[in-house]
Amino acid sequence: MVALTQDELLAEFETMTLIQLSEFVKAFEEKFDVTAAAAVAVAGPAAPGAPVEAAEEQDEFDVILTGAGDKKIQVIKVVRELTSLGLKEAKDLVDGAPKPVLEKVAKDAAEKAAESLKGAGASVEVK
């Protein structure tokens, strides 16, 4: 077996969809019994009289397909365009609704994807 360099692995990951990457991370975690969670800094309680910071605005959104509607074939086509999935994978995603179509995307990309899916007759939720 040929060992891949870090650059070769990154180049390979660039070609994968978010769903494929998510599945890879889950398989990696199971295989090596690890968790890919980011480290979280623990902050102490705020000092009395300290100003409360405004809640950070959400900058990553998930587009979740909640139903295919009457035009299932059109919805599958839109899912394929948005995710680069093959026909079978896109059909499985649509059949298995509710499922995320896109994860951790910018607000404008999430809104465009939701509009496209709704235009095809699907019911969509953006979180």
Side-chain angles (χ1 to χ4, degrees):
M1 180 173 161
V2 176
L4 298 175
T5 67
Q6 185 175 2
D7 291 334
E8 291 170 331
L9 283 171
L10 289 174
E12 193 64 34
F13 290 142
E14 285 178 338
T15 64
M16 298 173 81
T17 65
L18 290 176
I19 293 173
Q20 291 170 326
L21 280 171
S22 174
E23 291 170 353
F24 170 78
V25 169
K26 288 176 187 173
F28 187 90
E29 289 174 339
E30 290 174 8
K31 170 87 175 170
F32 296 105
D33 195 28
V34 295
T35 304
V40 179
V42 178
V52 178
E53 291 185 30
E56 289 185 31
E57 186 175 329
Q58 184 177 355
D59 61 350
E60 292 182 337
F61 296 84
D62 295 340
V63 179
I64 300 170
L65 177 70
T66 56
D70 296 336
K71 301 176 185 175
K72 186 174 166 184
I73 294 173
Q74 295 299 325
V75 174
I76 292 171
K77 287 180 181 179
V78 172
V79 168
R80 289 188 67 200
E81 290 171 10
L82 294 172
T83 62
S84 308
L85 290 175
L87 181 60
K88 181 183 181 327
E89 292 84 4
K91 181 183 179 303
D92 291 345
L93 190 145
V94 171
D95 287 341
K99 287 212 172 189
V101 177
L102 297 173
E103 295 176 316
K104 297 183 180 180
V105 295
K107 184 176 183 177
D108 58 335
E111 289 173 351
K112 286 181 183 179
E115 283 180 35
S116 297
L117 288 164
K118 287 178 184 175
S123 49
V124 180
E125 190 175 297
V126 178
K127 289 186 178 183

